[in-house]
Amino acid sequence: MSAKTRSARLTVLGLTVPGLLGLAVSFVLPLAWLLRMSFNRGDSTGYIEETFTLDSYAQFVGDSYYWDMAWETTLLGLGVTVLTIVVSYPIALFLVRTESRFKGILVALAVAPLLTSSVVRTYGWLVLLGNQGVVNQALMGAGLVDQPLALINNRIGVYIALVEIMMPYMILCLLAGFGRFNQELEHAAQSLGANRWRTFWRIVWPLSMPGVLTGALLVFVLTISSFVTPRLVGGGKVFYLATEIYDQATATLNWPFAAAIAFILLALFAVVIVIYQRALRRIEAQ
Amino acid sequence: MKLKPLAGGLLAIALATVAGCSGSSSTPTNNAPDSGTITVKGYSGIFEDVFKKSVIEPFQKKYPKIKVKFVGSANSAENLASLRAARNSPDTDVSIMDISTSGTGNKSEVFQPLDPAKVPNMKDIDPRGKVEGNYGPAVTFDSLVLLYNESVSPAPTSWNALWDPKYKGKVVVPAQPDIQGAGLMLIENAKAGGDYTKSVDQGVARLKQLAPNVQTWSPQPDSYTLVQSGTAALAVGWNARGQYYADESHGKLKVAIVDEQTIFQINTINLVKDSPSPAAAQTFINYTLSPESQESFTEAMYYAPTNTKAKPSEKALKRTSLDPAKSAEILQVDWTQVAANREKWTQLWRREILAS
């Protein structure tokens, strides 16, 4: 190895040290502590016995209630991801294509919700979707329904609020992805006789896949780990893994069980990331 | 993979740093100075506002050398969870929480016993509020009541009003592990002839029938706000807060003290183990238990006094859970038992009541 490459490597190492140190302290250590906690035994008063047992994992695996919860969580992640793509894609496409002189402002507006905390936006939805909220009042005023629709305190509300909260992330990913292709390809396809529909499905959609996939991964992971929105909008009637971790940690105070569920959720993330990387590789190979 | 040894080294350094930081020194309880700043953790929101005004402010006038900082916590479980998380280097001296949760705190050594010499008012506490081993005693008594919106008439006189089909989708009950939900279950269980120390099946069956009427089991921001705004018609809630909001809302929210059994809610005031200033903390605890402070808090927020020597005005007392006319209606509950069943009952609720 030449002296030059060695010094280059040292420079790289030197530059990564602060980041690695930060990660070790803020991520690896807490995770190690959490893993240790998941092997303790928690009793129902919230008392924690220091020991080494797989009880918490066994409690999860041995109970169909928690399998259902994991399934509902996965469904929520998939559902919110698909809906977010559907509503964000046209917006992102418009933002890329528009020649309006307000383009900058429009992009800023699309991602502006990120400036507000999701707690605030969730409360916003509670107000909008409630029995006396704008949506129900409008529906009733128009004579479409005579009783307010139950749009909060159930799963519907959780989906609506989460899709809106996830949209800016998806739009940002899509915008970055769209930057990769050029409109000449569409003109070429159309000049060869493809109609708009065919052009979209054969040219635009496949070329935007990397952006879609990155957005999907981000939204899925953020959705299944979000607990504020499902908790506030769910009315105590819907339970997901993330809300369960929160409840176990702060309400029933069974930290070992909360830690075990956290690791199970982490395993779910790992599976999703593996799928994402496989899909990405396949697309890049095409 | 040349990174590995380096990363290992970094981890070791990081571990050493963290270990160094958390090695706390415990403060001796006996010769700590009776001055400085103490941190008190308790319920946020209205409790915090009134407690600051009617307990902390007068205390600071009397003990100018001690400064009291109040930190709000959404509920007792969250309060205990945060104390437990900071156990290696406590930043809190005194914590006010429900007795079913403070029992866990005592057992898991998050709290330490009080020194009877430093907290002489402890001996005058009502027997229902005394805690074994000189751990933090009761500082407030409260009871479960029915809250209703002005649109509801006539005024409900029984818990049964919650089951009235008229109020479908208009009822709010904070679910177990919140003790308001647990309390309603215990009341209904007893009413149906059950004994909660053996089984709560009868209470659960009753609440299962209530489910279609319930708008939310997890009111945001709380039951009082939903009833006051008319989003909900009926809710279970605590008497003291209910009385306070009834005044504040000019009658939009009303409180019904039903003609049936109810449960007592007890808040204890506890000394955190390895508290940074234990002497000042106990001076403060003693003050909150004094007749003077108890009367002041009762007049301001209708929590019933726990000190038997406290003599609040007749008018205020009649609006507390210790209303002399009502005291026979309290259902006896062993909160240690309730705590021991917390997880079992929570699972039961989830599967039997909330899902339906």
Side-chain angles (χ1 to χ4, degrees):
Chain A
M1 192 188 290
S2 77
K4 202 176 169 190
T5 53
R6 180 169 299 172
S7 82
R9 284 192 180 197
L10 277 177
T11 313
V12 171
L13 280 183
L15 286 172
T16 49
V17 164
L20 286 174
L21 203 63
L23 269 182
V25 174
S26 66
F27 185 67
V28 179
L29 278 180
L31 215 57
W33 182 88
L34 205 63
L35 186 65
R36 175 68 193 89
M37 177 57 79
S38 73
F39 296 123
N40 284 334
R41 184 178 287 124
D43 89 355
S44 61
T45 61
Y47 182 73
I48 298 168
E49 186 193 337
E50 291 261 354
T51 169
F52 196 90
T53 164
L54 287 170
D55 278 6
S56 295
Y57 292 94
Q59 188 186 343
F60 189 97
V61 175
D63 190 339
S64 65
Y65 177 79
Y66 289 111
W67 284 98
D68 289 347
M69 188 185 281
W71 174 238
E72 284 293 345
T73 305
T74 314
L75 271 189
L76 176 80
L78 292 174
V80 169
T81 305
V82 170
L83 290 172
T84 309
I85 293 173
V86 171
V87 291
S88 306
Y89 200 94
I91 298 175
L93 202 55
F94 167 77
L95 288 174
V96 164
R97 295 282 164 87
T98 182
E99 272 152 24
S100 158
R101 60 202 172 98
F102 300 116
K103 186 172 176 169
I105 296 175
L106 291 175
V107 172
L109 279 179
V111 296
L114 288 180
L115 299 175
T116 341
S117 117
S118 63
V119 179
V120 175
R121 283 190 279 156
T122 303
Y123 265 102
W125 280 111
L126 285 177
V127 174
L128 291 176
L129 299 175
N131 288 351
Q132 288 142 325
V134 180
V135 176
N136 269 319
Q137 291 301 325
L139 287 174
M140 285 181 3
L144 293 171
V145 292
D146 46 355
Q147 278 286 315
L149 297 176
L151 296 174
I152 52 168
N153 300 323
N154 55 22
R155 281 191 207 285
I156 300 170
V158 176
Y159 273 85
I160 295 175
L162 275 176
V163 167
E164 188 270 334
I165 285 167
M166 295 302 163
M167 275 174 69
Y169 297 102
M170 183 59 89
I171 291 173
L172 274 180
C173 291
L174 290 175
L175 285 178
F178 284 144
R180 290 161 59 119
F181 68 83
N182 121 22
Q183 232 169 320
E184 304 282 306
L185 288 170
E186 285 172 66
H187 296 317
Q190 278 171 347
S191 75
L192 292 171
N195 59 21
R196 280 166 169 267
W197 189 245
R198 200 173 158 90
T199 310
F200 177 78
W201 283 115
R202 298 295 290 270
I203 308 289
V204 180
W205 178 252
L207 282 173
S208 62
M209 265 329 260
V212 171
L213 277 179
T214 310
L217 174 76
L218 190 65
V219 168
F220 183 87
V221 169
L222 286 175
T223 301
I224 64 173
S225 61
S226 72
F227 72 94
V228 174
T229 307
R231 233 186 106 78
L232 293 182
V233 186
K237 294 173 190 168
V238 292
F239 302 100
Y240 298 109
L241 291 181
T243 55
E244 184 66 12
I245 295 171
Y246 178 84
D247 286 342
Q248 291 289 349
T250 64
T252 26
L253 297 174
N254 190 340
W255 287 9
F257 193 47
I261 307 174
F263 270 90
I264 289 163
L265 193 59
L266 204 63
L268 195 59
F269 287 152
V271 171
V272 173
I273 286 170
V274 167
I275 294 173
Y276 163 77
Q277 286 189 322
R278 289 251 166 105
L280 201 63
R281 216 172 295 150
R282 184 176 288 180
I283 285 166
E284 308 251 289
Q286 274 174 3
Chain B
M1 292 303 278
K2 293 215 156 155
L3 261 169
K4 268 199 171 156
L6 184 87
L10 287 177
L11 192 64
I13 295 169
L15 275 167
T17 322
V18 172
C21 294
S22 63
S24 69
S25 57
S26 63
T27 326
T29 314
N30 284 325
N31 38 32
D34 196 357
S35 61
T37 301
I38 58 167
T39 303
V40 178
K41 198 172 269 181
Y43 303 98
S44 51
I46 196 66
F47 184 97
E48 174 173 354
D49 297 346
V50 180
F51 190 76
K52 270 184 181 162
K53 205 179 273 170
S54 58
V55 179
I56 295 179
E57 275 176 25
F59 172 77
Q60 299 214 289
K61 266 187 207 128
K62 208 166 164 181
Y63 298 90
K65 276 202 277 184
I66 304 175
K67 202 179 159 337
V68 182
K69 196 174 114 208
F70 191 96
V71 177
S73 180
N75 57 54
S76 300
E78 216 173 286
N79 188 331
L80 182 63
S82 71
L83 294 177
R84 194 153 76 178
R87 189 147 59 167
N88 287 331
S89 51
D91 51 3
T92 307
D93 302 281
V94 176
S95 171
I96 298 171
M97 59 170 72
D98 181 76
I99 195 167
S100 67
T101 312
S102 64
T104 304
N106 297 341
K107 189 177 161 199
S108 46
E109 293 181 9
V110 170
F111 299 129
Q112 58 180 331
L114 304 175
D115 177 354
K118 287 203 164 67
V119 191
N121 285 326
M122 236 188 339
K123 67 178 188 309
D124 297 325
I125 298 300
D126 185 298
R128 283 173 290 193
K130 282 194 169 138
V131 177
E132 234 176 282
N134 286 331
Y135 280 102
V139 66
T140 64
F141 285 146
D142 202 0
S143 60
L144 202 66
V145 293
L146 209 50
L147 310 168
Y148 62 103
N149 181 263
E150 56 183 346
S151 65
V152 175
S153 93
T157 54
S158 152
W159 298 110
N160 291 339
L162 297 167
W163 277 261
D164 190 332
K166 221 169 36 189
Y167 302 118
K168 189 172 185 323
K170 292 289 228 176
V171 171
V172 172
V173 179
Q176 157 85 15
D178 191 304
I179 51 171
Q180 296 167 80
L184 186 63
M185 172 182 76
L186 296 177
I187 291 166
E188 289 300 323
N189 198 60
K191 228 161 85 179
D195 173 5
Y196 74 93
T197 56
K198 297 195 183 83
S199 146
V200 288
D201 289 350
Q202 283 154 299
V204 168
R206 231 357 228 148
L207 286 177
K208 209 168 163 177
Q209 294 162 6
L210 179 64
N213 266 16
V214 175
Q215 180 181 91
T216 173
W217 297 100
S218 165
Q220 302 300 337
D222 56 34
S223 317
Y224 312 91
T225 312
L226 295 182
V227 171
Q228 192 174 320
S229 70
T231 305
L234 288 166
V236 292
W238 297 119
N239 177 58
R241 282 161 188 260
Q243 298 285 356
Y244 186 87
Y245 283 117
D247 290 351
E248 288 278 291
S249 69
H250 303 290
K252 284 203 174 69
L253 173 146
K254 295 178 176 172
V255 178
I257 298 179
V258 297
D259 297 331
E260 289 174 284
Q261 281 196 315
T262 184
I263 55 151
F264 235 25
Q265 186 269 337
I266 300 170
N267 281 321
T268 56
I269 186 158
N270 307 282
L271 178 63
V272 176
K273 186 158 188 281
D274 298 331
S275 141
S277 1
Q282 291 184 86
T283 305
F284 178 72
I285 292 175
N286 190 50
Y287 176 79
T288 63
L289 300 175
S290 69
E292 164 197 2
S293 158
Q294 293 262 312
E295 285 161 15
S296 158
F297 201 40
T298 300
E299 298 290 341
M301 211 179 158
Y302 312 108
Y303 277 106
T306 58
N307 188 318
T308 48
K309 291 194 174 149
K311 295 280 171 270
S313 71
E314 190 78 358
K315 196 172 147 236
L317 193 66
K318 272 190 90 69
R319 291 178 70 180
T320 72
S321 52
L322 280 185
D323 176 3
K326 299 271 178 188
S327 53
E329 303 282 354
I330 304 287
L331 176 71
Q332 294 303 315
V333 177
D334 174 3
W335 291 108
T336 328
Q337 277 251 345
V338 172
N341 281 306
R342 190 181 288 135
E343 195 164 344
K344 198 174 115 197
W345 290 351
T346 304
Q347 293 300 343
L348 208 58
W349 272 67
R350 291 274 190 87
R351 292 159 206 228
E352 298 290 326
I353 304 167
L354 306 186
S356 55

